[in-house]
Amino acid sequence: METAGHFDLQTLWFVLIAVLWMGFFLLDGFDFGVGMLYPFLGRDDPERHALLATILPVWDSYEVWIIVAGGATFAAFPGWYASMFSGFYLIFFAILLALIVRGVAIEYRNKHDDLSWRRRWDVAMPISSAAIPFLLGTVFAAITRGVPMDAQGDVTAGEGALFSGYSVLTGFALVAAFALHGALFLAVRTEDGLEERARRFALALWPPAAALLIAFTVWTAVQAYSAAPYRAPVLVLLALGLLAAAASGPLALLRRPLAAFAGTSAATVLLVAALFAWLYPRVMVSSTAGSPSLTIYGTASNRYSLIAMTIIAAVFVPVVLAYQAWALWVFRERLSRADFTRPPSPLHMIARGRGTKRGDASSGGAPAGDGE
């Protein structure tokens, strides 16, 4: 069996999978935040439509990151994939269900003018958008802190073993961080009253998010100091991540939402990187005495498979990154309520003109709806 000590293909693919998860949490993180906040930030339907439209053209491209992360884990580390997905089957099924509900809510909310139809999706969207980071946070916290496993690497406890105090804290910290991340994104992508309201929401969310992130960082640092194979990188990444998150509040207060958003973006990447640094070279930590943890060397595919995957990744990863950058650039314009208020139709103008001639004041000035 190979052992750690040099940068090999197993380490390369562990790093690539970590990067995929960092990309997912960074990009879909503010998507989740928008989904959690838009029904509360928007005072009427055109405003809610404008807020949701900030992610509507690109949200599904961000989901590619989690799909590729799962696929890469299956191909590069089949032992890790088998143990994690079979051990936490119900949790991953709940995550998949929440992803489906969220996707349908984004796409279907504005397909019907009925207000009750839209209000139902306005309830489903925040719940599913909060459930996904909470459940993913508990999974990542559990596999780094340790779960009961047997000598074959199979998880021996049910899904309830995931919900320790640390994993629940991690889940709530992730939800709060993404809500803050989303509020700052909306402050960058909207204008007029929406921009200022999003900034105020971010300032209100910053104290609880900071408190949860401080608790998560301290707890993680204490555990990593005693249990991580390479504790120095973990502690450095945690400290930098906390500083980046802490800076977002003062920057938002100084009316610099783009810089504040950059702070939460950096914090997201650094904190996820810290969890993977805590894991390495393990992929799942065993909390059962006498049962070894799973490592990148014991769960990896053969060398030829990893070489083929590396060549494929070298070709397609730059393409995906270029497309992602292009999409963000194309859909960079700020949105406002006025962009989603439907002007009177020609038929309405004709009816309004006839009503005016007859002196019927009630025929004019119909309330404006919102467009697709």
Side-chain angles (χ1 to χ4, degrees):
M1 181 183 293
E2 294 183 69
T3 56
H6 59 284
F7 194 82
D8 45 35
L9 285 171
Q10 290 89 342
T11 299
L12 172 64
W13 273 97
F14 181 84
V15 171
L16 287 176
I17 290 170
V19 169
L20 288 169
W21 279 107
M22 283 185 263
F24 171 72
F25 281 124
L26 170 64
L27 296 171
D28 240 2
F30 61 75
D31 272 17
F32 295 143
V34 171
M36 285 185 253
L37 297 177
Y38 85 92
F40 309 102
L41 266 170
R43 292 176 178 171
D44 56 20
D45 210 65
E47 286 192 349
R48 295 188 190 102
H49 196 166
L51 293 168
L52 195 58
T54 60
I55 62 171
L56 186 59
V58 292
W59 73 270
D60 48 356
S61 67
Y62 302 153
E63 309 255 312
V64 171
W65 291 81
I66 191 173
I67 295 170
V68 177
T73 303
F74 173 77
F77 303 104
W80 180 12
Y81 182 93
S83 181
M84 181 170 63
F85 279 81
S86 61
F88 306 144
Y89 179 81
L90 292 179
I91 298 296
F92 281 110
F93 180 79
I95 292 170
L96 177 61
L97 182 62
L99 285 168
I100 292 171
V101 170
R102 175 176 167 269
V104 173
I106 292 173
E107 294 294 338
Y108 277 45
R109 181 194 182 272
N110 297 310
K111 299 298 184 185
H112 198 298
D113 287 335
D114 181 57
L115 288 179
S116 63
W117 166 272
R118 297 187 175 192
R119 294 299 82 81
R120 284 194 290 271
W121 292 120
D122 290 346
V123 172
M125 173 80 88
I127 294 173
S128 58
S129 295
I132 297 164
F134 177 79
L135 293 173
L136 284 174
T138 61
V139 169
F140 274 95
I143 67 174
T144 50
R145 188 168 186 259
V147 291
M149 299 173 65
D150 61 20
Q152 287 72 44
D154 297 325
V155 177
T156 57
E159 279 74 7
L162 282 175
F163 296 98
S164 63
Y166 174 69
S167 64
V168 170
L169 170 66
T170 304
F172 281 123
L174 209 56
V175 171
F178 285 170
L180 174 62
H181 197 36
L184 291 170
F185 172 77
L186 289 173
V188 172
R189 285 296 316 280
T190 57
E191 57 187 2
D192 302 330
L194 288 177
E195 175 189 4
E196 179 60 24
R197 207 177 311 148
R199 189 185 71 87
R200 291 200 302 266
F201 257 65
L203 290 173
L205 288 166
W206 185 77
L212 286 168
L213 285 172
I214 289 171
F216 162 76
T217 302
V218 171
W219 198 337
T220 303
V222 170
Q223 293 183 117
Y225 186 82
S226 61
Y230 303 97
R231 61 190 182 192
V234 182
L235 298 177
V236 170
L237 289 168
L238 286 172
L240 292 175
L242 187 60
L243 287 174
S248 63
L251 287 169
L253 188 63
L254 294 172
R255 299 181 182 277
R256 298 181 61 188
L258 183 58
F261 178 70
T264 55
S265 299
T268 300
V269 170
L270 290 166
L271 292 175
V272 175
L275 291 178
F276 277 93
W278 179 6
L279 265 181
Y280 181 79
R282 304 162 301 174
V283 290
M284 285 187 67
V285 178
S286 173
S287 63
T288 304
S291 295
S293 300
L294 299 181
T295 69
I296 59 174
Y297 301 103
T299 60
S301 295
N302 62 65
R303 179 176 178 82
Y304 296 105
S305 297
L306 294 177
I307 290 174
M309 290 172 59
T310 303
I311 295 171
I312 293 170
V315 174
F316 287 103
V317 167
V319 175
V320 172
L321 292 175
Y323 166 77
Q324 205 81 81
W326 174 82
L328 288 169
W329 175 256
V330 168
F331 298 106
R332 68 188 184 278
E333 294 299 328
R334 289 174 175 263
L335 300 176
S336 69
R337 182 187 188 280
D339 296 318
F340 297 89
T341 302
R342 181 182 300 154
S345 67
L347 287 177
H348 171 71
M349 295 302 291
I350 293 171
R352 181 180 174 185
R354 288 176 177 173
T356 302
K357 288 178 181 178
R358 288 193 297 264
D360 183 6
S362 65
S363 63
D370 63 297
E372 287 303 314

